[in-house]
Structure formats: structure tokens, C-alpha cells
């Protein structure tokens, strides 16, 4: 049975500030998706949130980029924006960058990760959702999951994974893509994906079966809007078990709270803290950035779950380390590398300050 799993998300208003999503937004979203389920457009859905981002996890048989499913997501976000406006939530409708829906939500503000596949006898999937960080945050974990034998022992000792995976990488500045073969091209791959502000792993495929293994959202809000409108807060779907890495191999990269761009005003480097949904409430300095992992078993497209994977105690040390790293980085105040380099900052006063002081600058020597 061919299933499409679509995760479409947007920040349509924060509660309080940019720290959380109001429960009434989740209720409104549920009403829209319940109706679509009744109408037969969806097979199943789960509405959740990560920080101030509303997350629509949907299964259906309309394929990727379906106009009907994307319109449903758009209408849901518009409906939730009405609630956000009534409650005067912060930044109501902030990620809806277009005036009206056209053919799909790509390029209109919401983040999208979708994949169509033949449901296996047992289909375990993990949906990752992040807040206060950029698209590109998945490069490091996807590399570790699908190309690093120190993370994924299955690459070494499981026959159905030993041949490796294909990485589809997008250059989001020049709108180009390229595919790399792991393991033999990992040095070339890393030249690009080690620079996640520009090069992003869009998808990963099994080399022998050609089956899709992972898909991430690569929308960069600032490139769409041409100005800062909020962080991308990306999502990523990873299939697990059998010919794909085991659940524990998929979660393992997050035992390190690696550094990502985002945090306060989208202009800082901070540790990505793995959290349960209840703890996806960025607080200190609007952070530190968070990542959630919801696990599902699919059954005829039904979403059996979620299991909140990072609620587990085995991620306590990562959370502690993230808080220690946050202390260390915060002590740098407005200095790089805590503050992002000038061209990466989402907020800046540089043009105004420069204009004011231009006449006072004198040549060196
Ligand atoms: C970062 C983020 C927040 C805001 C900050 C200022 O992604 O969302 O750190 O940038 O709270 O928000 P505004 O400009 O909405 O007052
Ligand atoms: Mg927000
Ligand atoms: Mg957010």
C-alpha cells in the first residue's frame, strides 16, 4: 500500500512571546484535520507543537506536493491565525508569507517534509521537529545516522545496510541539487554539508532498493521573504528498522547537543537540546534551541503513536550538557562565535549604525 507521510508546520502565533503554542491553536487545527479525515482526504493525522510551531503530521494517498493536502494545511494555518489574532498571541500569522494559497505551500512560509513509500510489513518512522533553529540543522544527524559507523553499527554489521546510502543535497542559494554516494564520496559530501546555512541534506535513499529513508524541510524563511521573519524551525522524517537504521541508531546523534544557528533573534550559535514535547518551551535567552522526536508505527497508513522518544532518561545527560554549553556560550555575550557572523545574522542594526557613523571613519595610515 502506497502511503504519503506529510509533515507541514508553521508558527502562526506564540504564547507567551515565542516560547510555546497556545492549546486553542491545537484545538482549532484538530477541527480542520478531523473534517478532512471525515471527507476521506486523510487516512490519519496527529496535531502537535514544538515550541511556538504548530505541527501537522498527516498520512494520505494523494502523493507528495498534493494541492488538496497543502491547501488543507494552509487553510488550517489561516484558521489558527484567526484564533491567534483573537488571543493577541505574539506574531499572529507570522509564517504565512503569501496573501492567498496557490498550488502548494512550498515557498509560502510553512515548512514541509514529505515522503511517499510502500508501507512495509512493519513501518517505524521518526518525525523530528525543531524550534529556534534553521533548516540545515539536520545535516549533522543525517550524516551520522546514514554514513557514520561510529553512530550506526548497522552500516558495518547489517547485511541489508552495508552497501550504504545516497544523500541528495540542495544548494538553497543557487537552487541546485547533487547526489553523493556514501561511503565512497563522504569526503566530498562533507565539504558541502559541513556548511549547513547553504547546503542541506534534502533526502536520503537506500542504495540497493532505492527506497526513501529520510526527507527534511529545507525552506529558509529569510530567503523567501527577503528579510527576517522568524527562524525556519525545520522538520525531518526518518524511516527506521529493517533496511534502515534502527530506532536507537536514528536517535543516537542527538546524545550530543551539537551547535546550531538560531536561538535569540535567530542570530546566535547554541546547543540543540533533545526534549520531550512538554519541554519544548524555549525560555532562557529564547532557547536554547530544541528538538523533539515522535515515533510512530504505521498500520495501513494509520499513525500508531506517537511515542515521545526524547522523554527517555537516556537523554538526560545531553540535556545537562546542553545547559552547560549554554552557560559557556552565553558568557560571550554579543561576541562571535556565540553571535553569528555578520552575513548569517537574521537581525542587524549594522546598516543604520554604519550610516550614522560613516562620516567619522577616516582612512588607515
Ligand atoms: C528566534 C525568535 C525569538 C525572537 C525574539 C524577538 O527564532 O523567534 O528569539 O527573535 O523574541 O522577537 P520579536 O521581534 O517578535 O519581538
Ligand atoms: Mg515565533
Ligand atoms: Mg518557532
Amino acid at each position: 500500500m502506497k502511503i504519503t507521510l506529510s509533515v507541514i508546520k508553521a508558527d502562526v502565533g506564540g504564547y507567551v512571546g515565542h516560547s510555546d503554542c497556545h492549546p486553542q491553536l491545537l484545538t482549532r487545527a484538530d477541527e480542520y484535520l478531523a473534517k478532512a479525515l471525515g471527507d476521506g482526504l486523510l487516512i490519519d493525522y496527529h496535531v502537535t507543537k514544538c515550541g511556538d510551531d504548530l505541527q501537522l503530521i498527516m498520512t494520505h494517498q494523494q502523493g507528495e506536493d498534493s494541492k488538496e493536502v497543502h491547501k488543507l494545511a494552509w487553510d488550517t494555518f489561516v484558521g489558527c491565525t484567526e484564533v491567534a489574532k483573537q488571543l493577541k498571541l505574539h506574531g499572529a500569522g507570522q509564517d504565512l508569507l503569501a496573501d492567498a494559497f496557490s498550488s502548494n505551500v512550498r515557498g509560502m512560509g510553512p515548512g514541509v517534509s514529505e515522503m511517499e513509500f510502500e508501507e512495509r510489513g512493519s513501518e517505524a518512522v521518526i518525525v523530528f521537529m525543531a524550534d529556534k533553529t534553521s533548516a540545515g540543522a539536520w545535516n549533522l544527524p543525517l550524516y551520522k545516522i546514514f554514513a557514520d559507523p561510529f553512530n550506526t553499527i548497522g552500516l558495518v554489521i547489517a547485511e541489508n545496510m552495508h552497501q550504504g546510502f545516497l544523500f541528495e543535497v540542495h544548494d538553497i542559494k543557487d537552487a541546485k541539487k547533487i547526489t553523493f554516494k556514501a561511503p565512497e564520496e563522504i569526503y566530498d559530501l562533507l565539504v558541502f554539508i559541513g556548511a549547513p546555512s547553504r547546503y542541506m541534506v534534502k533526502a536520503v535513499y537506500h542504495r540497493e532498493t532505492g527506497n526513501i529513508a529520510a526527507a527534511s524541510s529545507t525552506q529558509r524563511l529569510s530567503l523567501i521573504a527577503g528579510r527576517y521573519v522568524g527562524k525556519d524551525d525545520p522538520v525531518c522524517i526518518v524511516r527506521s528498522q529493517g533496511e534502515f537504521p534502527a530506532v536507537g541508531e536514528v536517535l543516537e546523534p542527538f546524545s550530543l547537543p551539537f551547535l546550531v544557528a538560531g536561538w535569540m533573534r535567530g542570530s546566535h550559535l547554541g546547543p540543540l537540546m533533545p526534549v520531550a514535547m512538554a519541554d519544548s518551551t524555549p525560555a532562557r535567552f529564547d532557547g536554547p534551541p530544541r528538538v523533539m522526536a515522535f515515533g510512530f508505527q504505521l498500520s495501513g497508513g494509520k499513525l500508531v503513536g506517537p511515542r515521545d522518544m526524547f522523554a527517555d532518561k537516556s537523554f538526560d545527560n545531553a540535556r545537562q550538557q546542553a545547559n552547560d554549553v549554554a552557560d559557556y556560550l552565553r558568557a560571550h555575550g554579543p561576541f562571535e562565535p556565540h553571535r553569528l557572523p555578520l552575513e548569517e545574522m537574521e537581525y542587524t542594526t549594522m546598516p543604520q549604525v554604519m550610516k550614522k557613523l560613516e562620516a567619522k571613519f577616516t582612512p588607515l595610515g
Side-chain angles (χ1 to χ4, degrees):
M1 179 180 185
K2 267 213 161 160
I3 297 292
T4 307
L5 174 58
S6 301
V7 182
I8 307 186
K9 51 78 53 183
D11 175 353
V12 293
Y15 162 66
V16 172
H18 294 276
S19 66
D20 202 354
C21 208
H22 194 281
Q24 284 188 33
L25 297 191
L26 298 174
T27 308
R28 176 59 66 93
D30 198 80
E31 288 163 9
Y32 275 81
L33 299 199
K35 179 164 183 313
L37 187 76
D39 293 346
L41 178 61
L42 301 181
I43 301 175
D44 203 1
Y45 71 87
H46 182 78
V47 174
T48 188
K49 57 110 192 177
C50 180
D52 57 4
D53 293 277
L54 185 57
Q55 308 279 347
L56 313 179
I57 302 171
M58 301 172 283
T59 51
H60 54 88
Q61 292 194 294
Q62 316 296 317
E64 292 171 27
D65 279 327
S66 147
K67 186 170 180 185
E68 288 71 30
V69 172
H70 281 225
K71 183 168 187 323
L72 168 66
W74 180 263
D75 291 345
T76 305
F77 294 138
V78 170
C80 291
T81 298
E82 283 165 19
V83 178
K85 283 186 175 156
Q86 279 157 21
L87 299 174
K88 290 186 72 179
L89 298 181
H90 189 69
Q94 73 164 47
D95 283 0
L96 304 186
L97 303 178
D99 296 330
F101 181 78
S102 54
S103 57
N104 70 57
V105 295
R106 289 183 203 275
M108 297 177 73
V112 186
S113 164
E114 289 185 299
M115 53 164 79
E116 186 182 39
F117 51 82
E118 192 69 41
E119 188 181 289
R120 295 171 293 163
S122 168
E123 187 66 61
V125 294
I126 308 285
V127 177
F128 290 103
M129 298 160 264
D131 190 32
K132 303 293 178 276
T133 186
S134 326
W138 309 122
N139 283 9
L140 183 150
L142 287 174
Y143 176 79
K144 283 193 166 179
I145 294 166
F146 293 104
D148 180 4
F150 278 71
N151 181 92
T152 300
I153 185 62
L155 296 168
V156 182
I157 61 172
E159 213 186 309
N160 52 7
M161 242 189 281
H162 194 73
Q163 63 295 313
F165 289 88
L166 298 175
F167 284 73
E168 180 185 320
V169 175
H170 287 197
D171 171 352
I172 50 114
K173 285 211 172 111
D174 273 357
K176 289 190 294 207
K177 63 179 176 182
I178 179 168
T179 299
F180 295 95
K181 295 187 188 97
E184 63 267 43
E185 294 174 346
I186 55 170
Y187 296 165
D188 292 340
L189 169 69
L190 286 167
V191 171
F192 294 97
I193 67 169
S197 61
R198 173 161 182 179
Y199 299 99
M200 294 170 196
V201 179
K202 177 67 193 173
V204 180
Y205 298 89
H206 192 279
R207 277 179 76 166
E208 234 167 49
T209 63
N211 288 336
I212 186 146
S216 75
S217 64
T218 49
Q219 290 79 15
R220 287 216 61 186
L221 282 172
S222 55
L223 293 184
I224 297 167
R227 65 189 154 86
Y228 183 66
V229 284
K231 263 294 168 207
D232 312 320
D233 303 338
V235 287
C236 182
I237 304 169
V238 179
R239 296 172 78 192
S240 179
Q241 303 295 149
E243 68 188 76
F244 303 118
V247 167
E249 292 167 331
V250 173
L251 301 178
E252 179 65 9
F254 299 91
S255 62
L256 172 77
F258 55 94
L259 295 176
V260 293
W263 208 346
M264 176 57 81
R265 297 180 188 274
S267 303
H268 292 80
L269 207 58
L272 187 63
M273 183 190 272
V275 290
M277 187 195 67
D279 293 321
S280 70
T281 49
R284 180 184 183 186
F285 201 55
D286 285 0
R290 309 292 156 116
V291 58
M292 280 164 54
F294 270 12
F296 298 93
Q297 290 287 149
L298 294 189
S299 173
K302 290 276 175 204
L303 290 158
V304 181
R307 278 217 63 235
D308 192 342
M309 308 307 290
F310 290 147
D312 190 69
K313 293 225 166 307
S314 56
F315 287 92
D316 285 353
N317 283 0
R319 291 186 268 273
Q320 183 58 52
Q321 198 183 356
N323 277 326
D324 292 343
V325 169
D327 279 341
Y328 174 77
L329 283 172
R330 281 301 303 125
H332 293 74
F335 283 82
E336 294 180 16
H338 179 32
R339 194 183 77 174
L340 292 177
L342 288 174
E343 64 280 6
E344 297 274 313
M345 280 197 304
E346 304 280 11
Y347 270 69
T348 182
T349 48
M350 182 63 103
Q352 296 94 302
V353 174
M354 189 52 104
K355 197 166 170 220
K356 185 177 74 185
L357 298 180
E358 217 149 31
K360 291 195 175 182
F361 275 92
T362 55
L364 290 178

